[in-house]
Each structure stands twice: as C-alpha cells, then as structure tokens.
Amino acid sequence: MANRNRFKRSVSRHLPFGEKRDTRFYGMHIVSVQQFDRQDLDTIFEVAREMRSMVERVGSFDLLKGKVLANLFYEPSTRTSSSFAAAVQRLGGSVLQINNVTFSSVSKGEVLQDTIRTMESYADAIVLRHPEEGSASIAASVATKPIINAGDGPGEHPTQALLDVFTILEELGRIDGLTVTIVGDLKYGRTVHSLAHLLSLYDIRLHFVAPDILHMPATLVDNLKEQGMAPCEHVNFEEVLPETDVLYVTRVQRERFDDLSMYERVRGSYVVAPETMASAKARMIVIHPLPRVDEISMQFDDDPRAAYFRQMEYGMYVRMALLALVLGKA
Ligand code: NCD
C-alpha cells in the first residue's frame, strides 16, 4: 500500500461526461498498478463500459478533440501501441507515433529524460514502452504531462493488467470468488507482475504455475502475502486446471534471457490445446496478453473458452477510459 498514492496529483476538476464523475485521475501518471484501489478500478471499468457502448453506437466522438497523445515505443508492440492509437483517435484526438527509436535522437545518445521533455512539448500525454525496469518512473519524475507505462522491461505493464481484469469481469461477471491460474514466464513477464498485484484487491484463489527457473519473484510473492493473499506455486498445470475459472497464459520472454539455451530448455513447457483442456470447466476462460508463440495451439481458438481475441477489444475500451480520465477537460 505504501506507494499506492505516489503518482496521484491533487487536482479538482470536472470531467465532461457524467455530472459527479470522480476527478482524481486528472493529470495522473499511470506507472504501477499499486497506485490503484478497488474504487479506482470500479471507476475505470464503468467508464470503459460507457466507451464500449459509445463505440458500438457511433464509432468515434469528440471527447478529446484537439488532444495529442505521444506513443513512444523503445520495444516492439502491436496491440498496446495500436490500441492506444485507436483509443485516442476514437475520442477525437490524434497520435504522434515514435516506433523505431533508431530513427530518432535516441540513436544519437539522447537520455530518456530529454526525450520525454521533448515529447511533452508536443503532446498532452506520453505512452512509454522501454526495456528497462523503472524507466516509466524515471520518465514520470521529469514529466509535467501524464506518463502512461506501457511496459518497463520485466517490471510492470499496468494498462494490460487493467484490461485483463476488465476482460474477466465482462466474460465471467465477477472477480471475487474465482480461482485464477497464471501460467508461464512469471519471472520476466511484466503483465503477470501487474496482474498479480491488481488481483490482490479481490477475494480470489491464486495459483502460479511456472518452470523451475521462471518462478514469480520472491519479493512479489512476499508482498502478496503481506496483503493477505496465499498464492500456491506449482510446476504442473494439469493439477490445478479442473478448479480454474481463469487461465492466464503467458509467453516465455525470450528477449530477457542472457543464455538462450535456458530459453530453449523451458519454451513449450505448457501448451493449451483441445486435449489439455479436456479436464477444465465448461464455463471458464483462457486469456493471454499476446503475442503467443507456442503456448496456445491454434486448434483451441474456436473453443468458446478462448477469450484472448475478445480480450484485445476490451483493451481498447479500457485505454479509452484511461485517456478520458487522465486527459478529461474541464
Ligand atoms: C505483452 C508485453 O509486451 O509485455 N504484450 C502486450 O503488451 N500485449 C506480453 C508479451 O510480450 O509477452
């Protein structure tokens, strides 16, 4: 709880939709899920639902007309980058896309802080993906405009975790009381670091399944225990599959390995396929932040429990909600 409020600013302004909308998000950096409480999540998800219904009815609208979002990506991205771009454009704003930093001044040796100062002179908020853990926090320490962490190395990926929780809610109707099993690369997977923290705000049973060298970091597990969670750690996922309501599958993060022979040793440890899912409940979901490599067979894609493609769409509504809340005009 110590740093839950670290990135909040005390401003009091009114958002343009819903008279008594909470304004505590205005101008906020989104760096870590640890800055959110249950009430924050309820607000974000309520706005995300409004965004969904607006998109379904009218496609795009003018809530953030004139606002510019900088998408600053030092690592590859398909979904995060394009869903933020689509989100701001559906809200009437525009996007400044910096994808290939080798064509920017970063390749001349510019430090992150200077690149952030540059981008914030042109944009109203910056979405940042960077290979170093802590980079979003460094960016937020110099920025006067909101920084949204889109993945800081193996650290966190808060907006992904928010969309993961929103997906569970929309698909299963609740979070409390569920059994969630997170399987794959729990050591380097930033999405699962954020997700585990966020799930600690709910009353759930949590299982971690990973190969011996890819366990959830001990400090994170200790932190969850301090918050009253009792995650069970396993190597074999078949033993927890029958009781699982949400199976969160992740890719082994090849780019984080110094020794690729270790990657080869653990890749393909778990594969979701029609045969492996035979013992799972009929009403449960399989989600994945994507991209998948070999951990979910394409043969499973037509199964109604395969929610990972629907999850991508929920992501755009959650990112629209975050942009609307952070950039909402008086
Ligand atoms: C994830 C990421 O970049 O951390 N992807 C995403 O944002 N949807 C997961 C991954 O790359 O494995």
Side-chain angles (χ1 to χ4, degrees):
M1 288 296 278
N3 55 3
R4 278 215 195 280
N5 293 312
R6 223 170 80 208
F7 301 104
K8 293 191 176 181
R9 300 194 196 154
S10 53
V11 284
S12 160
R13 297 179 75 163
H14 292 284
L15 289 168
F17 48 92
E19 268 309 282
K20 297 260 184 262
R21 183 78 66 196
D22 208 310
T23 57
R24 70 209 125 125
F25 292 90
Y26 186 80
M28 185 199 268
H29 299 299
I30 299 176
V31 170
S32 163
V33 288
Q34 294 191 70
Q35 68 195 84
F36 298 121
D37 57 26
R38 272 285 282 263
Q39 200 194 345
D40 293 331
L41 300 194
D42 291 345
T43 302
I44 294 166
F45 299 149
E46 186 193 330
V47 178
R49 280 186 202 104
E50 285 177 33
M51 294 299 170
R52 180 183 190 174
S53 98
M54 287 294 277
V55 169
E56 283 167 359
R57 275 184 288 141
V58 294
S60 59
F61 43 107
D62 275 352
L63 193 68
L64 295 182
K65 190 164 188 271
K67 295 285 183 185
V68 176
L69 180 71
N71 251 354
L72 181 57
F73 280 70
Y74 291 69
E75 281 190 337
S77 171
T78 303
R79 276 149 290 268
T80 307
S81 161
S82 51
S83 63
F84 266 114
V88 73
Q89 289 175 66
R90 282 187 183 274
L91 290 169
S94 57
V95 65
L96 205 53
Q97 186 77 36
I98 312 282
N99 267 346
N100 193 338
V101 289
T102 51
F103 288 113
S104 74
S105 287
V106 172
S107 67
K108 301 179 187 170
E110 184 169 75
V111 296
L112 176 65
Q113 289 90 330
D114 287 1
T115 308
I116 294 294
R117 287 189 181 101
T118 308
M119 298 316 292
E120 71 172 4
S121 359
Y122 310 136
D124 299 293
I126 300 171
V127 176
L128 173 70
R129 170 168 292 185
H130 192 281
E132 276 161 40
E133 188 164 352
S135 52
S137 198
I138 291 171
S141 71
V142 297
T144 57
K145 307 272 178 70
I147 297 291
I148 301 177
N149 182 3
D152 60 324
E156 277 214 45
H157 193 346
T159 68
Q160 177 69 44
L162 290 166
L163 81 87
D164 296 336
V165 173
F166 185 63
T167 299
I168 302 171
L169 270 173
E170 295 304 282
E171 292 278 323
L172 298 177
R174 68 192 168 109
I175 309 279
D176 288 324
L178 297 181
T179 296
V180 180
T181 300
I182 306 184
V183 57
D185 186 346
L186 309 190
K187 179 177 181 188
Y188 298 119
R190 55 194 172 201
T191 69
V192 297
H193 300 162
S194 291
L195 181 62
H197 276 303
L198 215 46
L199 288 173
S200 73
L201 297 176
Y202 295 87
D203 178 18
I204 58 149
R205 275 180 67 81
L206 190 57
H207 294 290
F208 294 149
V209 183
D212 54 356
I213 58 167
L214 296 178
H215 282 315
M216 193 60 98
T219 46
L220 199 152
V221 175
D222 290 345
N223 203 283
L224 294 177
K225 286 181 179 158
E226 275 165 32
Q227 291 178 44
M229 304 273 285
C232 305
E233 302 194 62
H234 312 261
V235 174
N236 180 339
F237 95 113
E238 277 82 14
E239 67 195 38
V240 287
L241 196 53
E243 65 179 89
T244 296
D245 298 297
V246 178
L247 183 64
Y248 190 93
V249 186
T250 64
R251 169 182 75 91
V252 178
Q253 308 279 297
R254 185 178 189 275
E255 65 274 35
R256 312 278 177 228
F257 282 75
D258 292 326
D259 176 357
L260 279 183
S261 69
M262 297 306 271
Y263 167 74
E264 292 299 336
R265 179 157 92 70
V266 289
R267 65 175 292 194
S269 296
Y270 308 103
V271 180
V272 170
E275 321 79 80
T276 45
M277 292 300 289
S279 64
K281 292 181 182 178
R283 182 163 152 73
M284 57 85 72
I285 53 168
V286 177
I287 54 177
H288 189 307
L290 303 176
R292 65 170 155 189
V293 185
D294 46 17
E295 59 282 350
I296 301 182
S297 146
M298 288 173 75
Q299 321 292 305
F300 187 67
D301 293 352
D302 293 332
D303 191 299
R305 296 170 294 182
Y308 32 91
F309 297 135
R310 299 192 290 275
Q311 187 182 359
M312 295 191 288
E313 186 182 328
Y314 294 128
M316 183 178 75
Y317 305 132
V318 169
R319 287 174 173 139
M320 288 176 78
L322 290 171
L323 293 176
L325 287 163
V326 166
L327 290 175
K329 289 177 277 186

